[in-house]
Amino acid sequence: MPTSPLNQQVAIITGASSGIGAGVAEELNAAGMKLVLTARRADRLNALAADLTDCEVVVADIADAETPQRLVDRAIEKFGRLDVVFNSAGVMYSGTIDEVDVDEMCRMVRV
């Protein structure tokens, strides 16, 4: 069992299916944390979870208004607590003022 001060703490990680989110999940798992992983891509999320211990997978879009509370509820239900939220989810939209889609820009901010 790891002797890290993070041992047995609980973290939610958004955007966990790839990149920084997946890397943070691996490191926090190695430190002994229990994890609630979320992303939109179920296949990648499940593949990551298969290599980790003490984790829950919630396939969801963090921009959906209900998702943040759903993640908190899952952490407390499964592990009895929540200590850390690491938001790695992100999207990027860009363009000139005359071509940018305002709805896409709003979604970027929500994520």
Side-chain angles (χ1 to χ4, degrees):
M1 185 70 48
T3 58
S4 164
L6 299 176
N7 190 36
Q8 300 302 305
Q9 290 194 19
V10 178
I12 292 171
I13 303 174
T14 71
S17 64
S18 65
I20 293 171
V24 168
E26 291 166 347
E27 291 298 318
L28 294 182
N29 176 76
M33 290 190 81
K34 300 170 188 280
L35 307 174
V36 176
L37 308 175
T38 190
R40 295 176 295 164
R41 296 178 289 191
D43 57 335
R44 290 185 180 196
L45 206 52
N46 288 322
L48 173 64
D51 292 334
L52 305 178
T53 57
D54 263 342
C55 71
E56 281 287 298
V57 169
V58 178
V59 178
D61 185 340
I62 196 64
D64 291 341
E66 300 83 27
T67 298
Q69 187 61 55
R70 187 173 154 209
L71 296 170
V72 170
D73 292 345
R74 180 69 63 90
I76 293 170
E77 175 185 301
K78 175 70 177 180
F79 301 117
R81 62 190 282 176
L82 175 61
D83 302 292
V84 174
V85 176
F86 187 90
N87 185 25
S88 181
V91 294
M92 181 66 182
Y93 302 107
S94 64
T96 63
I97 192 68
D98 59 330
E99 61 189 18
V100 73
D101 182 328
V102 172
D103 290 331
E104 293 298 327
M105 297 303 282
C106 290
R107 176 174 165 64
M108 181 174 67
V109 171
R110 282 192 303 274
V111 169

